Amino acid sequence: MTKTYAPANPEPQNDRRRFVAGAATLLSAGSLGACAVAPTADTRRRFEFALIGDMPYNRAQESEYDRVMQELNARDLAFVTHVGDFQFDPRPYERNPASSRPPGDDATYDYVLGTFNASKNPLVMTPGDNDWADLVELKTRKLDPLDRLAKVRSLFYPKGSSLGQRRMAVTSQADVDPAHAAFRENLSWSIDGVDFVTLHIIGSNDNMGRGPALETEQQQRKVANLSWLKRAFAQARERKSLGFVIIIHANIGFENLWPASYHGRYYRPLSGVKTPKPEPTVYDDYIRALGAEMEVFETPTLLLHGDTHLFRIDKPLFSARTQRPFENFTRVETFGWPDTHWVSIEVDPTQPQVFTVRPRMVPGNSPNRRAA
């Protein structure tokens, strides 16, 4: 029988698990956000979860990915989240087919699913473009991306549950939103007063520009995503959440909507590069939706993603009213190929800033460490 880590409704668990605040203080350098709502620290426990993504791409990275999973299995984590791109991009694969498992093959999906279910901690994944959409780029064989999307949904999203050896209860958009019943991959769950939500937003221009069928898919998915996001914010406000975490795949390009002065400072250090004039993107609706919600949302909020494979922690979302970044909104991008590491996120309700983010470097995966 599968052991459940935390119910979708956190209140029964809060009654069972009480956290008594100790004297330990989180490192201020890693603490994020600002909180205007006083947390009920005596009824919430401290916990840690892990962020990974954009791995394993090729056979060389598989052994490094295995080391990451071993590290995660050695820790008592609330859950692990993989932010998509669990297989190689078909374009470099076709230049060297011996380098990786064939993207889109049933056997490749089975391999990845096996590694997820071998996780000793609950594991939740949101899809990336490599996992289904980019398969339209295959030249040597033809795969239907929409068929592969259906495969991903059927394999990686059991009803009401995460993946992993120890399962966690989750709520799917498919089960509570009849208008978007196809989107079983959009999930939400709560742990001790902190709410989590996943949205199926992918790289490669979110699948636009690839023909009518795929553009229709993108438009329908965007409507579902925006509906799910609005619902998640509303629930977090109603519950007076201590923290809120949004999990997606794509780097949605916050910088494109930055005020001109901040945009100029961003590019100033790049020698010989003239500050570009931002143009509209397919992701702008998401950024504006996030901004509108954050104007009236004081809870510490994280947005976690992968896609561009550059570890970063920053404050990239700006208020339309003040033209200044929201102090309580923090973006974290995880490591990705060829850098195979993970990110620890600690949740401490006794701290007003709630979240502490730490990069975890896996020693055996560092190319810069000399062999003994």
Side-chain angles (χ1 to χ4, degrees), residues 232-234 236-237 241 243-244 292-301 326 328:
F233 267 108
R237 282 192 293 269
S241 299
F244 185 47
E293 294 286 355
M294 294 304 299
E295 295 284 6
V296 293
F297 193 67
E298 297 182 331
T299 298
T301 300
F326 290 106
N328 61 322

Side-chain angles (χ1 to χ4, degrees), residues 111-347:
Y111 157 72
V112 174
L113 180 62
T115 68
F116 288 174
N117 276 329
S119 171
K120 292 183 179 179
N121 301 294
L123 191 145
V124 175
M125 188 269 295
T126 190
D129 47 293
N130 285 11
D131 305 330
W132 65 275
D134 286 349
L135 297 172
V136 73
E137 305 291 346
L138 280 169
K139 306 300 182 188
T140 56
R141 57 197 174 99
K142 294 297 181 182
L143 290 175
D144 178 0
L146 297 179
D147 172 77
R148 296 293 82 186
L149 173 57
K151 183 75 172 181
V152 168
R153 285 170 168 161
S154 68
L155 285 179
F156 292 91
Y157 300 97
K159 187 177 178 63
S161 172
S162 69
L163 301 169
Q165 293 183 29
R166 173 165 52 87
R167 299 292 174 103
M168 173 179 68
V170 297
T171 298
S172 168
Q173 185 174 18
D175 294 330
V176 298
D177 184 358
H180 302 109
F183 295 90
R184 60 194 294 179
E185 69 275 19
N186 282 349
L187 305 174
S188 66
W189 63 98
S190 298
I191 301 175
D192 282 338
V194 178
D195 287 323
F196 300 84
V197 63
T198 69
L199 304 172
H200 188 175
I201 307 173
I202 59 175
S204 293
N205 203 36
D206 205 29
N207 215 20
M208 286 294 284
R210 288 173 160 171
L214 295 181
E215 291 192 358
T216 296
E217 181 283 326
Q218 189 275 341
Q219 292 161 6
Q220 293 171 343
R221 182 162 43 83
K222 177 180 278 191
V223 171
N225 284 333
L226 291 172
S227 174
W228 193 235
L229 180 66
K230 183 176 182 179
R231 179 184 185 273
F233 267 108
Q235 285 194 336
R237 282 192 293 269
E238 181 182 354
R239 294 171 177 171
K240 296 181 172 56
S241 299
L242 298 179
F244 185 47
V245 181
I246 304 161
I247 302 168
I248 66 176
H249 170 70
N251 181 343
I252 58 177
F254 289 99
E255 298 84 356
N256 288 302
L257 295 184
W258 280 5
S261 61
Y262 284 83
H263 199 251
R265 274 182 268 164
Y266 184 78
Y267 283 94
R268 188 181 303 160
L270 301 179
S271 177
V273 176
K274 187 177 180 179
T275 302
K277 183 179 180 180
E279 297 181 354
T281 80
V282 72
Y283 302 112
D284 291 352
D285 290 339
Y286 292 123
I287 299 172
R288 292 191 179 98
L290 287 167
E293 294 286 355
M294 294 304 299
E295 295 284 6
V296 293
F297 193 67
E298 297 182 331
T299 298
T301 300
L302 295 184
L303 183 134
L304 313 180
H305 73 85
D307 187 25
T308 38
H309 307 196
L310 295 171
F311 171 72
R312 72 183 94 192
I313 307 172
D314 62 3
K315 302 283 186 184
L317 183 63
F318 283 71
S319 165
R321 181 176 59 84
T322 67
Q323 298 295 289
R324 299 283 293 277
F326 290 106
E327 294 89 348
N328 61 322
F329 183 94
T330 303
R331 177 257 295 273
V332 181
E333 180 173 2
T334 189
F335 301 95
W337 181 88
D339 302 314
T340 318
H341 306 288
W342 63 284
V343 179
S344 162
I345 302 176
E346 187 177 79
V347 180

